[in-house]
Amino acid sequence: MAAASRGIQGRKRPQRSGSSPRRLLARPTWSRAQQVTDVLRSETVGGLLLLAGAVVALLWANSPWRAGYETLTDAHLGPEALHLHLSLAHWASDGLLAIFFFVVGLELKREFVLGELRSPSRAALPVIAAVGGMALPALIYTLVNMVSAGGALEGWAVPTATDIAFAVAVLAVISTHLPVALRSFLLTLAVVDDLLAIVIIVVFFTDSLSLVSLAGSLATIAVFMLVVNRGITRWYLLVPLAVVAWALMHASGVHATIAGVLLGFAVPTRPASGEQHGMSERFEHLWRPVSAGVAVPVFALMSAGVSLGGGGIGAALRDPVGLGVALGLVVGKLVGVLGSTFLLARFTRAELDENLSWWDVLGVALLAGVGFTVSLLIGELAFGDGTERDEHAKAAILVGSLTSAVLAAVVLRTRNRVYRKIEEEDAVDRDGDGVPDVFQESAAGDTSDISRPR
């Protein structure tokens, strides 16, 4: 019992003589720590705006002025000849979210080329955790809807996505000093999660396909890639190309946001000779505030207005669709992320970093159950925007995300004293060179490779 207690509290474990234990969730490099801090700082602001948009939508949709909300979201505009005469809600999900997915594409490529996903040893944990965190929610949803009368299996993918902006907004609200290793893990897990969600959207939610339009979109993206790889970044060239690629992708039957992902992948990542930052990093710095501060909050405003009258949440959770979504987010994400991380440690004989414990992994696994943006989008694709089951899925997403957020807050706040101590240690810079000492020490003695055979 004493040994178990030491493991829970995250105290140092004695190392086996003659061996250097593999480390899970070890402290990242200093450059990675700075990158994670910068990304999550902007995501925090965006997450708070996302929360505000969702709250406004909920209040408006359940107020005496509900008709005004429906009029706004159902208002149509755009050229009919180009099949772009869409409702404002549709423009938000297909148009504004293309900006969100463009930033996702930039982030994904940078992670694969320069970040955590470039190394199999470092990628193993977030990739396995993300796969587990998507498979278990899908399985739980499927089981609930298979054994229930009137189930709808087409919504299996709704509870599989993690919303990083919403998650870091929760961290900001509860004011926890989450260590950079856990923040890096959460960010990379969410990036892999986004990649898997993109694959799901392309493979399972493309009902009809126009090969001519798809070829035109891909050709336009190829031109875009040629232009940016020549170092040309003039907006009056790139923006029209991106719009044409998006419009053709929309006409092809593939969800239009996929054009945003491919455009993000087209941007070169490595810095050119004499440059400190690559083009993708500069583009991400430019477009992330637009995505987090405008695109996603407006999408939340247009999509989260669920009427809670006529049974509301109770009716949603009595529907197998709503129950499956809620259980998938709260239970599925927890078991998937925590269980896959534990199994990875068990079968590779890796150990958690000496400063952390399984309570910390539990808190992050709960936080991964905060799903919103992509979950709402997949719900609309699965059930049709505005249908009764789409409304039930939306209500369940809100309930599941809120429940996961509250449980994560309880766990992580309990550990906040430990996190403060780690933060103080991480800030010590005795030699005054601008790089905290622990990051220099961890770089010199990195034992995080868990892919090598013992």
Side-chain angles (χ1 to χ4, degrees):
M1 290 296 291
S5 176
R6 285 194 296 272
I8 288 293
Q9 295 302 320
R11 297 173 185 171
K12 292 186 178 181
R13 305 173 183 86
Q15 295 186 8
R16 294 181 293 272
S17 60
S19 68
S20 180
R22 312 299 190 259
R23 293 296 187 194
L24 295 178
L25 299 175
R27 184 181 286 106
T29 63
W30 174 236
S31 60
R32 173 65 178 177
Q34 289 179 303
Q35 175 200 340
V36 169
T37 300
D38 290 341
V39 169
L40 295 187
R41 184 183 296 116
S42 62
E43 291 288 1
T44 298
V45 176
L48 294 174
L49 292 173
L50 168 63
L51 286 174
V55 169
V56 169
L58 278 172
L59 293 176
W60 194 353
N62 291 278
S63 73
W65 304 279
R66 173 177 173 79
Y69 179 78
E70 294 176 348
T71 300
L72 174 67
T73 56
D74 291 340
H76 282 65
L77 55 86
E80 185 72 56
L82 299 177
H83 305 287
L84 291 175
H85 189 64
L86 310 175
S87 68
L88 289 181
H90 199 168
W91 275 110
S93 63
D94 279 22
L96 288 178
L97 281 193
I99 300 174
F100 166 77
F101 277 101
F102 174 66
V103 175
V104 168
L106 292 171
E107 193 172 41
L108 274 169
K109 186 174 181 182
R110 187 154 60 93
E111 288 289 337
F112 277 115
V113 175
L114 301 174
E116 295 290 282
L117 299 179
R118 78 185 187 280
S119 165
S121 62
R122 289 187 176 275
L125 176 58
V127 168
I128 291 173
V131 171
M134 296 192 82
L136 264 293
L139 178 61
I140 288 176
Y141 176 94
T142 301
L143 290 175
V144 169
N145 281 266
M146 284 181 64
V147 302
S148 303
L153 295 180
E154 60 266 32
W156 64 270
V158 175
T160 60
T162 295
D163 194 313
I164 186 63
F166 211 136
V168 296
V170 172
L171 294 178
V173 170
I174 66 176
S175 188
T176 182
H177 297 256
L178 199 67
V180 67
L182 291 175
R183 284 183 278 142
S184 178
F185 170 59
L186 179 63
L187 177 61
T188 310
L189 184 151
V191 168
V192 178
D193 197 294
D194 286 337
L195 175 61
L196 296 175
I198 291 163
V199 173
I200 287 173
I201 290 172
V202 172
V203 174
F204 296 99
F205 295 101
T206 300
D207 295 327
S208 60
L209 184 64
S210 169
L211 293 178
V212 174
S213 297
L214 179 61
S217 179
L218 295 177
T220 307
I221 293 170
V223 174
F224 180 95
M225 182 170 62
L226 178 65
V227 171
V228 293
N229 276 273
R230 288 179 176 271
I232 301 172
T233 59
R234 296 179 179 88
W235 69 269
Y236 51 82
L237 291 177
L238 299 184
V239 172
L241 285 171
V243 171
V244 171
W246 172 87
L248 288 170
M249 188 68 73
H250 184 275
S252 75
V254 178
H255 200 268
T257 54
I258 302 305
V261 178
L262 297 178
L263 289 165
F265 270 109
V267 179
T269 300
R270 296 187 184 279
S273 178
E275 293 183 345
Q276 184 177 0
H277 304 288
M279 187 182 295
S280 67
E281 187 174 353
R282 299 199 303 272
F283 275 32
E284 188 177 342
H285 180 74
L286 176 65
W287 285 100
R288 186 178 290 278
V290 180
S291 170
V294 179
V296 175
V298 172
F299 170 74
L301 177 64
M302 293 292 171
S303 300
V306 181
S307 174
L308 301 180
I313 293 174
L317 296 182
R318 286 192 295 272
D319 185 344
V321 166
L323 182 60
V325 169
L327 289 177
L329 288 172
V330 178
V331 179
K333 279 290 186 181
L334 168 63
V335 176
V337 173
L338 180 62
S340 58
T341 304
F342 178 80
L343 290 175
L344 180 64
R346 174 69 178 82
F347 286 106
T348 62
R349 298 186 180 179
E351 297 180 0
L352 287 180
D353 187 76
E354 59 190 17
N355 293 311
L356 302 176
S357 82
W358 286 104
W359 285 111
D360 304 310
V361 183
L362 173 66
V364 172
L366 286 166
L367 199 57
V370 177
F372 194 78
T373 306
V374 178
S375 291
L376 290 176
L377 174 60
I378 293 177
E380 292 178 2
L381 295 175
F383 301 114
D385 186 23
T387 62
E388 182 181 34
R389 289 215 138 146
D390 181 39
E391 295 292 302
H392 287 173
K394 288 179 179 180
I397 290 167
L398 295 173
V399 170
S401 298
L402 180 60
T403 303
S404 294
V406 170
L407 294 175
V410 171
V411 173
L412 296 177
R413 283 294 299 177
T414 302
R415 296 278 294 164
N416 205 36
R417 182 177 299 177
V418 175
Y419 300 156
R420 284 180 181 273
K421 183 178 295 186
I422 296 174
E423 184 179 62
E424 292 171 0
E425 293 174 354
D426 287 356
V428 175
D429 182 18
R430 295 184 181 87
D431 55 11
D433 63 353
V435 180
D437 300 338
V438 290
F439 289 96
Q440 295 172 327
E441 295 166 2
S442 61
D446 185 4
T447 59
S448 61
D449 191 339
I450 61 172
S451 66
R452 297 173 295 177
R454 292 186 58 83

